Amino acid sequence: MATSPRSPPGAPPPPEFEISRQSRLLAALSKKVIDLDELRMLAAQGVPDGAAVRPTVWKLLLGYLPSDRALWEQELAKKRSQYAAFKEEFLSNPMEIARQRELEGQGSENAGSIYNGLLHRSEITQEEHPLSLGKTTAWNQFFEYSEIIEQIDRDVKRTHPDMHFFCGDSSFAKSNQESLKNILIIFAKLNAGIRYVQGMNEILAPLFFVFRNDPDDKNANFAEADSFFCFMELLSGFRDNFCQKLDNSAVGIQGTLSKLSQLVAKYDGELQRHLEITTEINPQFYAFRWITLLLTQEFNFADTIHIWDTLLSDPDGPQETLLRICCAMLILVRKRLLAGDFTSNLKLLQNYPPTNISHLLYVANKLH
């Protein structure tokens, strides 16, 4: 977590500072109407793990919870009900939909015509037939997304294989995997322009982990719904990075990488020239993953969570803060980079060394 600007660079916050910050954060959250500017300032320094308030803080920072506490219960109930409707609409098998229509439309009198869970052939309409060519049929949409669903399934199973929370044979891990899959499938179906892009599972993972570990059991049980809406909000600021048609535009990923290059040139021209001119290392070779996956692959999971405290605290959205952190990552290893060639530098940046996260965020903040 980030240190106070008054702390020595990289030094861990003294215990009394941690306790003071924790009490200030709890006081800020206890107000009837949350002062979001104050909350952002406190969260940007890192949310103390012992305070057990990170789920609430992140939901406020992402705009999922309104600042008025009196509206929380009503807003959560509305959103969670909406997500339940999404699940019913987007996760149902076409055969299940057909069976449901049959039961609803003809009632108990004809319910007996469903034998062993299957509709009689004569009762399947042209629209409901699996071989129907109609683009709006449930089966067409089912087959259209089957490849994406298979990709999501593969990626979810590879999410943080070193963590029992996400992987393993326990029912808890399998339940968490199922929740990740549900969220990503619904997101893909609601966002036809992007659908699913590999790596989205890595961005979703920190959100779901934090919300599923909420000390309030009711909130923890609704982690899937809450994660879905916060994931939607988070990706709204990075959506253009995932749109292939915009890759080479000013707002696409190439434009974002160009901004990083300009930032490095502004604060360390010698380093930028050595990387891009002398050793011919384009930011795309290493920073593409840093930016698109919000640094989730460069640090251990606990450090990623602390970095996200700072990322989510930016009132203008996470992207500018993300670029400053990426720039700080380069500055922290500048001596090794200036002494290195193409091969050694690329290896270093694609496998970023363990670092003091407090110091990294301190340096990034100085670039503001």
Side-chain angles (χ1 to χ4, degrees), residues 50-256:
V53 294
R54 183 174 280 115
T56 302
V57 171
W58 281 18
K59 288 172 187 176
L60 283 161
L61 294 176
L62 286 164
Y64 181 56
L65 284 177
S67 57
D68 188 341
R69 290 175 62 93
L71 300 176
W72 285 9
E73 190 173 341
Q74 174 188 343
E75 189 64 23
L76 287 174
K78 184 177 78 173
K79 291 290 189 184
R80 290 164 178 174
S81 174
Q82 186 180 355
Y83 182 72
F86 284 154
K87 287 184 75 171
E88 187 174 338
E89 180 178 357
F90 294 118
L91 299 181
S92 297
N93 181 297
M95 186 60 76
E96 293 171 0
I97 295 172
R99 280 201 297 267
Q100 187 63 32
R101 284 177 182 167
E102 178 71 15
L103 287 169
E104 290 175 354
Q106 299 185 19
S108 57
E109 182 182 343
N110 291 331
S113 65
I114 303 176
Y115 181 69
N116 287 335
L118 299 175
L119 288 170
H120 285 177
R121 185 173 180 177
S122 61
E123 292 159 353
I124 300 176
T125 67
Q126 178 65 25
E127 190 174 295
E128 293 165 345
H129 198 285
L131 299 181
S132 171
L133 298 177
K135 291 187 177 181
T136 60
T137 68
W139 279 106
N140 180 276
Q141 293 171 23
F142 177 76
F143 291 130
E144 182 184 359
Y145 282 93
S146 61
E147 192 175 326
I148 293 174
I149 292 171
E150 287 174 10
Q151 183 64 61
I152 290 173
D153 187 57
R154 286 193 296 270
D155 289 350
V156 164
K157 287 176 179 174
R158 290 195 290 251
T159 304
H160 296 288
D162 56 327
M163 293 177 64
H164 294 302
F165 180 91
F166 293 107
C167 284
D169 296 325
S170 71
S171 58
F172 182 63
K174 289 185 180 298
S175 170
N176 292 337
Q177 285 187 354
E178 193 65 24
S179 290
L180 294 181
K181 281 170 54 180
N182 290 344
I183 292 168
L184 293 169
I185 290 169
I186 293 171
F187 176 86
K189 292 187 175 185
L190 282 173
N191 294 271
I194 299 176
R195 296 195 178 183
Y196 172 75
V197 178
Q198 273 190 284
M200 285 183 176
N201 57 306
E202 303 292 354
I203 299 175
L204 173 60
L207 291 171
F208 183 74
F209 178 85
V210 167
F211 297 158
R212 187 69 182 87
N213 284 292
D214 193 312
D216 183 315
D217 287 341
K218 182 180 179 182
N219 285 331
N221 290 335
F222 281 104
E224 184 179 321
D226 296 347
S227 298
F228 169 77
F229 287 104
C230 287
F231 178 70
M232 289 273 285
E233 180 59 33
L234 180 59
L235 248 62
S236 68
F238 293 94
R239 187 183 173 96
D240 294 340
N241 288 342
F242 290 99
C243 187
Q244 196 171 9
K245 292 178 181 177
L246 297 175
D247 276 357
N248 296 311
S249 71
V251 296
I253 185 61
Q254 291 301 329
T256 305

